[in-house]
Amino acid sequence: MTDQPIPLKQTMDITEIMSILPHRYPFLLIDRILEMERKIRIVAIKNVTINEPHFAGHFPDFPIMPGVLIIEAIAQAGGALLLTEIPDRDTKLMVFAGIDSAKFRKPVVPGDQLRIEVTVLNWRSTAVRLHGVATVDGKVACEATIMCALTSRTPKKPATAGAAAE
């Protein structure tokens, strides 16, 4: 027997993604993970369908996926990579800490498949800086550098009336 670590699974289906990310419909924005290298990079896909609720108003008769949701899909892919490294992830949330250099190159419409490639730029135990590129048919739709931080999921208890008087 060797003391080598158990290799990280390289692909994930939606059920496995949901066991890692806290997001659910209508805000879970990645459908499958195609590739994953621990603390280095992840590749995920998002199948864009007309059934998504934001298309009712963005825009009627010309549905375009909102750019902020593409950025969110990048963050969720990065979050899947980050949270696989956190043993107590059920008690943590990954939140946005910043977005730099976001650029939108082409519209994303129903029927498109977003390929989301996220590369780690800086990794710390409680925060990561990532560069994400979302493509459709090999053409860049969006790219951004994002920062994400881990925070506790435990809600803070409100102060009691007696504590406020002290």
Side-chain angles (χ1 to χ4, degrees):
M1 265 195 161
T2 64
D3 264 350
Q4 295 180 351
I6 298 170
L8 181 66
K9 187 170 169 119
Q10 300 298 306
T11 63
M12 289 187 196
D13 64 23
I14 191 65
T15 304
E16 293 165 312
I17 292 167
M18 290 172 64
S19 74
I20 293 169
L21 292 179
H23 305 81
R24 294 296 179 264
Y25 175 85
F27 215 68
L28 181 58
L29 297 173
I30 58 174
D31 296 320
R32 179 171 296 277
I33 294 173
L34 302 176
E35 301 172 30
M36 191 178 334
E37 294 176 64
R38 287 186 69 197
K39 298 184 179 182
I40 296 172
R41 75 187 280 272
I42 189 167
V43 178
I45 58 170
K46 160 72 176 136
N47 295 306
V48 182
T49 74
I50 193 64
N51 296 324
E52 296 172 51
H54 50 268
F55 287 128
H58 198 268
F59 298 96
D61 302 321
F62 192 74
I64 298 175
M65 184 174 183
V68 296
L69 294 182
I70 301 169
I71 300 281
E72 175 65 24
I74 290 169
Q76 288 182 20
L81 182 64
L82 169 66
L83 290 170
T84 57
E85 299 293 325
I86 309 300
D88 61 341
R89 66 179 164 256
D90 292 340
T91 65
K92 306 285 185 199
L93 279 177
M94 182 207 61
V95 296
F96 268 122
I99 303 170
D100 291 329
S101 306
K103 294 186 174 45
F104 303 95
R105 308 274 187 209
K106 77 182 262 358
V108 175
V109 298
D112 285 347
Q113 184 178 73
L114 274 178
R115 179 182 171 93
I116 303 156
E117 299 185 37
V118 180
T119 305
V120 173
L121 301 175
N122 190 344
W123 185 287
R124 288 189 244 143
S125 61
T126 59
V128 293
R129 188 166 184 258
L130 308 161
H131 181 74
V133 178
T135 60
V136 175
D137 296 328
K139 295 179 182 150
V140 175
C142 173
E143 63 181 304
T145 299
I146 62 171
M147 285 69 65
C148 300
L150 280 176
T151 186
S152 175
R153 211 187 256 225
T154 308
K156 294 184 180 181
K157 294 181 182 176
T160 61
E166 292 177 9

